[in-house]
Amino acid sequence: MILKYSDLDTATRYKLMSQAVVPRPIAWVVTEGACGVNVAPFSYFAPLSSQPPVVVLSVGHKKDGTPKDTLYNLTTTRKATICSVGEAHLKKMHLSSTSHPIEEGEAAIYDIATERIREGYPPIVSGCDSALFCSFYQRIDLPGSQTIPLILEIHAHYLREGLADRDLNFVIEAMGRVGRAYHPPSQELIRL
Ligand SMILES: Cc1cc2nc3c(=O)[nH]c(=O)nc-3n(C[C@H](O)[C@H](O)[C@H](O)COP(=O)(O)O)c2cc1C
């Protein structure tokens, strides 16, 4: 079967892409704004380059056409902390994708504990294995796109105490997304 993308609507393209580019790690993005601490998951997320050390995160708009709070906060404060999601956080991560008015932060609504461990950046979600302290680098405007790819530069990397060995080898528990389902983490690495 060959499906021509120009014949497909956006929802169908999303359905195909989100099941074919798998698993996509979930970026649990912490930003700050009027609401205090805002936490939301994004799976259109990938590393782009290590020099400069940047990742891309694609963030869309709410149903009413206003930018999602993460997009608004990121372009205003220019800072984000991107946390990994382990199995223990799966339920709260999923709940934090519920849309709320910008004055209401998901961290407080869903009782998601956070810790401020680096001055000048949003806090990490307590208990995460890894967190990237990032600043806004560049926005990519794709003609006709409903989501805005944002390039973020990594300035510092938090790793849970004891996770990495002396050579900085480590395996994080990172839930991935396959279509609309979640891919359970595996601690087993297969080295060939
Ligand atoms: C696992 C998962 C992945 C998601 N990935 C994205 C994404 O890549 N881009 C996006 O715009 N929304 C994505 N969403 C939806 C947002 O999390 C949702 O719109 C959320 O309300 C945004 O919150 P905010 O307004 O606080 O930024 C995803 C939701 C889930 C559950």
Side-chain angles (χ1 to χ4, degrees):
M1 178 186 342
I2 293 189
L3 298 153
K4 219 170 131 198
Y5 271 45
S6 55
D7 295 341
L8 305 174
D9 61 22
T10 308
T12 311
R13 288 182 200 154
Y14 174 76
K15 190 167 187 176
L16 293 174
M17 290 167 68
S18 66
Q19 292 177 100
V21 183
V22 292
R24 293 183 314 288
I26 296 164
W28 209 7
V29 181
V30 187
T31 54
E32 291 179 289
C35 64
V37 179
N38 189 83
V39 190
F42 296 88
S43 65
Y44 268 28
F45 165 62
L48 270 190
S49 146
S50 355
Q51 183 49 40
V54 294
V55 293
V56 66
L57 183 74
S58 240
V59 186
H61 291 80
K62 297 184 184 185
K63 286 207 174 94
D64 65 6
T66 59
K68 290 187 183 180
D69 301 343
T70 303
L71 178 59
Y72 180 83
N73 289 344
L74 240 169
T75 45
T76 312
T77 67
R78 303 176 82 83
K79 294 285 174 67
T81 298
I82 302 181
C83 301
S84 58
V85 178
E87 213 157 352
H89 278 132
L90 188 60
K91 220 169 172 176
K92 285 195 177 180
M93 176 280 293
H94 190 78
L95 282 172
S96 72
S97 71
T98 314
S99 185
H100 292 279
I102 193 153
E103 312 77 54
E104 299 172 14
E106 288 87 1
I109 299 172
Y110 298 112
D111 195 23
I112 299 165
T114 59
E115 286 167 59
R116 194 172 298 278
I117 60 167
R118 192 165 179 84
E119 208 42 56
Y121 291 88
I124 62 164
V125 172
S126 302
C128 71
D129 276 353
S130 161
L132 308 173
F133 296 102
C134 300
S135 70
F136 178 86
Y137 186 86
Q138 194 177 319
R139 164 188 168 128
I140 303 170
D141 283 300
L142 299 174
S145 177
Q146 291 166 358
T147 54
I148 317 281
L150 303 171
I151 299 179
L152 306 180
E153 181 171 7
I154 305 170
H155 294 277
H157 193 156
Y158 160 82
L159 286 170
R160 182 171 53 74
E161 219 42 57
L163 191 71
D165 71 12
R166 256 194 255 169
D167 300 319
L168 288 182
N169 296 311
F170 59 90
V171 181
I172 63 166
E173 225 189 72
M175 294 301 297
R177 211 172 201 209
V178 178
R180 291 197 177 274
Y182 296 107
H183 189 271
S186 161
Q187 290 301 318
E188 296 297 318
L189 268 195
I190 301 168
R191 293 191 197 277
L192 301 176

